[in-house]
Amino acid sequence: MTAALRGALGAAAAAFAIAAHAQDPLLQLDFEADELNSLPGGVTIHTQFQAPDSVPGVDGRAWRTDGFSSWLSAPVNLAASAGFTAAAWLALESYPSDLEVPVRQLSPSSIVHQRSGNDGFDLYIDTYGRWGLWVSTSRGRLTVDAPERFPVYEWAHVAATVDTGAADGAGRVALYLNGEAVATVALRAGAELNFADTNLELARSHTEVEFLNFTINRLNGAYDDVAVYGRALDAAEVRALYAAPGNPPTDAMGSLIVPESRLAGDHHRPRLHAMPPANWTNEPHGMVRFGSDWHLFYQRTPNGPYKFQMHWGHMASSDLVTWRHLKDALWPELQDDEFGFDQKGIWSGDVIVEGGRAFAFYTSVNHSDRLVASNPGVAMAISEDPNLETWQKFGPIINSGQVNDFRDPYLWREGGAWHMIIGATLDSGGGLDYHVLDTETGRWTPRERFVSVSYRSLDNGSAIWEMPVFEPLTDDVHVLVVNPIGGRVTKYGDPATRAVYWTGRWEDGLFHPDYTEPKLLDLIPGHLAPTVERAEDGALRAIGIVDERRSPQSQEDAGWAHTFSFPRTWRLMSDARTLGQAPAPELLALRGAPLVEAGGLRLGPDVDGPLATNAAHLSPGTHALELELVIDAAGAGASLRVDVLGSRDFGELTRLEFDLAANEVVLDKSRSTLSTEGEGPDVLSGAYDAAAFGAMRTIRVFVDGSVVEVFINDAAAFSFRSYPQRADSTDIRISAPSGEVTLSDLTLWPLRLPQ
């Protein structure tokens, strides 16, 4: 008899034993579609969305938790003297979040628990993947810890058994993973279980952690074939549960995709912009071309729309418009029971390619002394994977001992040397820390200066500069882009949090800026922290974040927060001192057949003639569009007004005003929504530099859900968020409130992903 046949017969015999003489499970859930629609008596799946998420499972369908709002509760009555078994198939997208506190202060989540205070049991897992079973007995409480971290991105069968034993003999507590016992502890003779008078729960801790309006330590993954027995199954029976699905999938990516149904009714959610499938994101400060793909690494909390235990998310695209989601590249880990150099989060950084390998440099944060343990530090990881999905961490390579604080490295190569600048806090305010790689020793050597003038003369009163970018625009001109925050700089203040830049010369190892007062990357704040990479045409492509301007409660209600901008192309304007930004040419692939094409349209309060109108009212009926206006002529004192995201009666509207005479742009959101959940000023304005960008002639407006992006002359740009309450607020109105404006062309395209 072959070993395979013996194994098959053994599994069959065990399965027969369960069916023949074991009591039926007290709870059994397979999460097929009919069961999710009509759960067994007393079982409840809690979710803030319209229905529980149904995804592919190990056998049929599975239940997908969202990581922050969903959990399951069920009445289960266990006998104190009989023992029990809890088993399930589980696929985790990530470990649960937690407050960024030392290890001993963590509040783990639960795979399954029936615990209240010091009674019951808890099959727990913490934010570093450490898992085990806690159980309360009449002879004391005990814990069984698994020796290895729980797997992520794969289906795993987990089981916990508690055998109280005979009255005169010791029992046993055991943990199983994929049919094999991984940890056991003896139970004292005569012990009975102290069960809690509460429901059994999945994906929710018995001790939940709250921050603002968020619960942050629930579980993010998929469950299938959950079973609870009123006795301890033996090892053969647990192996039979594991073998029952036949050949279950190991890779769980197909089960961890957020189903479209979860966010299908959300008209604020962009459908064409690069962004995570759900939950929280921040700066995409790690874009690189590797092979035939663009890879975007970005700040991410996969467990909910809040900012804790940040990961590096990962997506890839062949064309900069169609993105596919990949496994997270990096997440916080421990190197021992107490310490991990990036245990508080994987913060922003940069990715470079050298010798066919990719090198990630990121900001690592921990709880130890910042110099000894590099807190914060710049850490490095390397990938030789053609899809950049697997990375090997090498730990911190630079500490912040040269400055008061730092974050967000950026690298470039000049000749045979690699250079790194890091956003920093200096005694004078925001600035940069600068290092050069010594190729002989392999060490990064700090340099005293990066710019030829003082940082004090460049800074706008910030506490720290974030996400620096330094790139040549021509052979003679470089651009330095930074994002000052803190100090006098606040999100909605003056100065506001936004990207700024200087052009200048890179000579003799120093950047010589053309001016000290920084220029504003965007005309109006709302877009910041761009990441850049060169396309095949040699030009820089840039993607930043267009952050939320609504309350934390509305972000929780939506189930996601923040999005990335459309890609832009950067170029140096003819004055050799100004950065120009245009929609990336790849965006042309999004255009469908034009909905409106018109020419020779005369706008103004008192115009007449066959093509004259007080206002052009367009009803595209879509939440994703591009509008292009070409101005042929403008009278004295003329301004052009474009209302977007408007209801049919324009009770809701977001107003863009282009003052062609005063060279000013105004964003007016005072009537943008009937909701009260918006944040920030309603009216923002910005000066338009006609000398650098030319007189306003071409205006392109992109709308995608709540994101609006505006380009003037394919040179000046700004992006922002707006949240009309009405789902049908998609209309557009174009007018000239003062003077007369003639449009030689007006074109409106619907936008959709290319087929």
Side-chain angles (χ1 to χ4, degrees):
M1 182 181 296
T2 66
L5 181 56
R6 284 196 302 271
L9 290 175
F16 176 80
I18 291 175
H21 62 78
Q23 66 185 60
D24 291 336
L26 302 176
L27 176 70
Q28 188 163 22
L29 300 168
D30 62 12
F31 301 113
E32 296 306 309
D34 56 347
E35 184 178 79
L36 277 177
N37 293 329
S38 181
L39 291 163
V43 178
T44 303
I45 293 180
H46 304 259
T47 176
Q48 71 176 39
F49 300 103
Q50 291 186 346
D53 288 342
S54 178
V55 297
V58 295
D59 184 15
R61 307 297 293 177
W63 166 52
R64 174 74 160 92
T65 72
D66 59 43
F68 69 97
S69 87
S70 58
W71 79 93
L72 181 147
S73 62
V76 174
N77 294 316
L78 296 171
S81 60
F84 73 92
T85 298
W89 282 95
L90 178 63
L92 290 181
E93 182 183 13
S94 57
Y95 301 135
S97 294
D98 206 329
L99 296 175
E100 292 164 358
V101 295
V103 169
R104 297 183 183 183
Q105 300 174 28
L106 293 174
S107 299
S109 189
S110 295
I111 298 171
V112 55
H113 81 86
Q114 192 174 28
R115 179 178 178 180
S116 178
N118 290 322
D119 293 331
F121 75 91
D122 183 9
L123 183 58
Y124 61 85
I125 183 168
D126 74 7
T127 194
Y128 303 111
R130 302 180 304 174
W131 63 289
L133 178 69
W134 177 96
V135 62
S136 177
T137 79
S138 59
R139 307 298 292 270
R141 295 182 293 273
L142 58 86
T143 299
V144 184
D145 291 319
E148 304 290 339
R149 303 296 188 257
F150 200 88
V152 292
Y153 293 109
E154 62 184 68
W155 279 106
H157 187 263
V158 57
T161 66
V162 177
D163 182 358
T164 56
D168 58 351
R172 191 181 77 139
V173 180
L175 285 179
Y176 293 85
L177 186 68
N178 293 333
E180 299 296 330
V182 295
T184 60
V185 171
L187 191 63
R188 295 175 63 186
E192 293 191 340
L193 304 176
N194 293 332
F195 283 113
D197 184 17
T198 186
N199 275 1
L200 179 139
E201 294 183 336
L202 306 181
R204 182 190 191 194
S205 175
H206 74 284
T207 303
E208 296 206 302
V209 175
E210 308 289 334
F211 181 81
L212 297 177
N213 50 288
F214 303 107
T215 302
I216 66 171
N217 67 332
R218 291 181 183 155
L219 209 57
N220 172 29
Y223 282 84
D224 203 357
D225 292 346
V226 173
V228 178
Y229 295 84
R231 69 179 186 87
L233 300 186
D234 62 30
E237 291 171 318
V238 173
R239 283 195 297 273
L241 289 181
Y242 169 64
N247 295 306
T250 53
D251 182 84
M253 283 299 289
S255 303
L256 295 174
I257 295 171
V258 175
E260 292 184 4
S261 57
R262 184 192 296 180
L263 304 173
D266 187 350
H267 63 279
H268 293 145
R269 183 169 173 83
R271 305 297 172 182
L272 303 175
H273 282 70
M275 61 187 303
N279 299 324
W280 187 90
T281 189
N282 207 0
E283 296 90 0
H285 211 243
M287 183 164 62
V288 66
R289 287 175 64 209
F290 192 75
S292 60
D293 278 339
W294 297 81
H295 291 263
L296 190 64
F297 299 92
Y298 58 91
Q299 299 282 266
R300 182 183 187 217
T301 299
N303 302 319
Y306 47 76
K307 179 182 175 182
F308 282 100
Q309 293 296 92
M310 274 196 287
H311 293 209
W312 261 25
H314 181 197
M315 61 181 71
S317 173
S318 62
D319 58 8
L320 282 179
V321 295
T322 304
W323 295 89
R324 61 185 186 275
H325 298 290
L326 302 173
K327 301 174 184 177
D328 285 359
L330 302 168
W331 53 83
E333 295 181 279
L334 296 178
Q335 277 73 57
D336 57 38
D337 290 340
E338 297 284 339
F339 175 77
F341 63 82
D342 55 16
Q343 67 188 105
K344 286 181 66 176
I346 310 294
W347 292 66
S348 290
D350 195 14
V351 180
I352 63 171
V353 174
E354 174 82 353
R357 297 185 294 172
F359 296 78
F361 297 85
Y362 64 95
T363 312
S364 54
V365 191
N366 54 66
H367 294 287
S368 298
D369 176 83
R370 71 183 182 95
L371 294 182
V372 173
S374 297
N375 183 36
V378 172
M380 183 178 73
I382 299 177
S383 178
E384 300 184 42
D385 179 352
N387 296 316
L388 301 188
E389 292 194 84
T390 57
W391 293 81
Q392 181 181 0
K393 292 181 180 179
F394 284 85
I397 57 171
I398 296 175
N399 66 48
S400 55
Q402 308 297 316
V403 293
N404 298 333
D405 193 7
F406 74 6
R407 64 190 68 153
D408 315 329
Y410 188 83
L411 292 89
W412 74 97
R413 186 169 187 167
E414 182 186 0
W418 281 100
H419 301 248
M420 181 190 300
I421 52 175
I422 310 164
T425 295
L426 310 176
D427 291 340
S428 61
L432 297 170
D433 194 16
Y434 175 36
H435 297 254
V436 177
L437 181 63
D438 186 322
T439 56
E440 291 187 2
T441 65
R443 295 182 178 179
W444 290 88
T445 303
R447 295 288 179 88
E448 183 177 354
R449 303 177 66 192
F450 173 72
V451 294
S452 61
V453 298
S454 69
Y455 287 112
R456 186 187 300 274
S457 68
L458 302 176
D459 187 38
N460 60 355
S462 74
I464 190 170
W465 290 358
E466 292 190 332
M467 276 74 65
V469 167
F470 186 66
E471 286 288 336
L473 296 176
T474 68
D475 290 341
D476 303 317
V477 179
H478 278 64
V479 64
L480 172 64
V481 182
V482 301
N483 298 261
I485 69 166
R488 294 197 303 111
V489 182
T490 59
K491 183 172 182 178
Y492 299 125
D494 183 16
T497 304
R498 61 197 304 184
V500 300
Y501 73 91
W502 300 263
T503 59
R505 304 181 324 280
W506 174 248
E507 293 179 354
D508 303 322
L510 288 176
F511 175 58
H512 302 264
D514 295 326
Y515 35 83
T516 56
E517 183 177 353
K519 293 193 175 190
L520 305 175
L521 184 67
D522 279 29
L523 302 182
I524 288 173
H527 159 268
L528 69 160
T531 181
V532 301
E533 175 67 309
R534 294 195 184 272
E536 290 185 3
D537 61 10
L540 288 168
R541 301 291 191 269
I543 296 178
I545 184 173
V546 189
D547 64 353
E548 298 294 339
R549 304 289 161 130
R550 55 179 173 174
S551 69
Q553 184 59 58
S554 65
Q555 295 172 41
E556 180 183 20
D557 293 342
W560 58 278
H562 310 304
T563 185
F564 306 142
S565 70
F566 271 147
R568 302 176 178 184
T569 296
W570 285 6
R571 72 182 188 278
L572 184 67
M573 301 305 296
S574 59
D575 67 353
R577 299 166 64 91
T578 304
L579 179 64
Q581 301 181 91
E586 290 83 0
L587 295 177
L588 295 175
L590 296 174
R591 289 177 177 174
L595 297 173
V596 178
E597 292 181 285
L601 190 66
R602 296 175 59 208
L603 302 170
D606 301 309
V607 297
D608 55 22
L611 294 175
T613 181
N614 289 330
H617 184 167
L618 311 177
S619 297
T622 176
H623 292 96
L625 57 90
E626 178 188 353
L627 174 69
E628 182 177 69
L629 306 174
V630 180
I631 300 170
D632 182 60
S639 63
L640 181 67
R641 178 179 292 167
V642 181
D643 296 330
V644 298
L645 296 173
S647 56
R648 185 58 60 91
D649 62 359
F650 288 96
E652 284 187 321
L653 63 88
T654 298
R655 175 158 291 170
L656 300 166
E657 191 125 8
F658 304 89
D659 191 322
L660 307 178
N663 288 314
E664 184 181 45
V665 176
V666 178
L667 167 62
D668 185 348
K669 297 200 295 182
S670 58
R671 288 186 284 166
S672 66
T673 182
L674 301 174
S675 167
T676 60
E677 293 295 326
E679 285 189 348
D682 287 332
V683 180
L684 293 164
S685 62
Y688 174 80
D689 187 352
F693 300 125
M696 297 188 205
R697 286 292 177 261
T698 302
I699 296 171
R700 295 172 67 182
V701 181
F702 294 82
V703 178
D704 182 18
S706 56
V707 179
V708 181
E709 306 206 56
V710 182
F711 297 86
I712 304 173
N713 291 0
D714 283 349
F718 61 98
S719 304
F720 63 91
R721 304 293 297 280
S722 188
Y723 311 95
Q725 181 170 286
R726 294 177 51 167
D728 63 351
S729 288
T730 60
D731 280 18
I732 298 170
R733 184 170 59 189
I734 306 162
S735 60
S738 61
E740 180 178 333
V741 177
T742 301
L743 300 179
S744 60
D745 289 287
L746 181 159
T747 310
L748 177 66
W749 294 271
L751 300 181
R752 79 288 179 268
L753 291 175
Q755 300 300 315

